[in-house]
Structure formats: structure tokens, C-alpha cells
Amino acid sequence: MIMIDEKEFHCPVELTLGIINDKSKIFIVYILLSGQKRFKDICEAFPQITQKTVTQKLKELEADHIIVRTVFAEVPPRVEYALSPIGKELEKVLSSMHTFGEAYAAQYGCKKEK
């Protein structure tokens, strides 16, 4: 059993799913894999996610130590988001999900080209 912030997890998989428990968080982590991004860049990368949801999910990911929020002392203020060292470990998870998705699509669906 694993205890984190008074939450009980029965295995590491349950813990991981507790952190990236919805597609919005996964999308945000995915876009940050390529480096630091501003809020606007994250919103533009996934227009199907509302700004309110992006704001909420960024706060949750920051609280879970998956991302780091950097505020620059400029006028106007600039804020950038990046994956933390532990957040970068999710690249392995997303890569496996990508590979699975390709294999599943090849067997059961068709891939649409943009």
C-alpha cells in the first residue's frame, strides 16, 4: 500500500491513474513533452479543452508535482509551464499509450489524415 497526502493507493498503477486521471491532463502533459509552454500555447494546441479546464488541470498537475509554473518578473507578467523531473517520467507512459493506440487503430479502425 502507498500513502501520499493522506490518500491510499493499492499499487503504483492506481497512483499513476490518480494523477493523470482524465484526458485533459494527459493532453497537457503531452504538449509539455516538447518543452516549456505558455498558457496560450497549451490552449491553442488543444482547442477542444476550455480555458477554464486548462487552468484547473494545470493547478492540479502543479499540486501533484508533475509540472512547474515559472512566473517571470516582466511587464506584462509572463508565466510558463514545464514538466518537472518526475513529470518527464510520464513520457514513457505516453509513448506506450501512443504505441498501443497505433496498434489498436491498425487492427480495429482507420486512421484519418489531416
Side-chain angles (χ1 to χ4, degrees), residues 85-100:
I86 195 69
K88 290 178 184 175
E89 292 292 317
L90 286 169
E91 182 170 12
K92 299 169 191 171
V93 174
L94 294 180
S95 176
S96 294
M97 290 173 69
H98 179 88
T99 301
F100 171 81

Side-chain angles (χ1 to χ4, degrees), residues 41-56:
D41 300 326
I42 297 168
C43 290
E44 288 175 355
F46 297 103
Q48 69 271 30
I49 303 173
T50 66
Q51 288 186 2
K52 179 181 177 183
T53 299
V54 171
T55 299
Q56 176 186 355

Side-chain angles (χ1 to χ4, degrees), residues 1-2 4 8-21 90 93:
M1 185 173 332
I2 304 165
I4 296 184
E8 185 177 298
F9 301 95
H10 295 91
C11 71
V13 173
E14 182 183 13
L15 171 59
T16 303
L17 288 173
I19 293 169
I20 55 168
N21 56 6
L90 286 169
V93 174

Side-chain angles (χ1 to χ4, degrees), residues 53-69:
T53 299
V54 171
T55 299
Q56 176 186 355
K57 300 307 173 183
L58 286 169
K59 287 178 183 178
E60 291 173 12
L61 288 166
E62 185 178 12
D64 286 333
H65 312 287
I66 301 301
I67 64 169
V68 176
R69 180 178 185 264

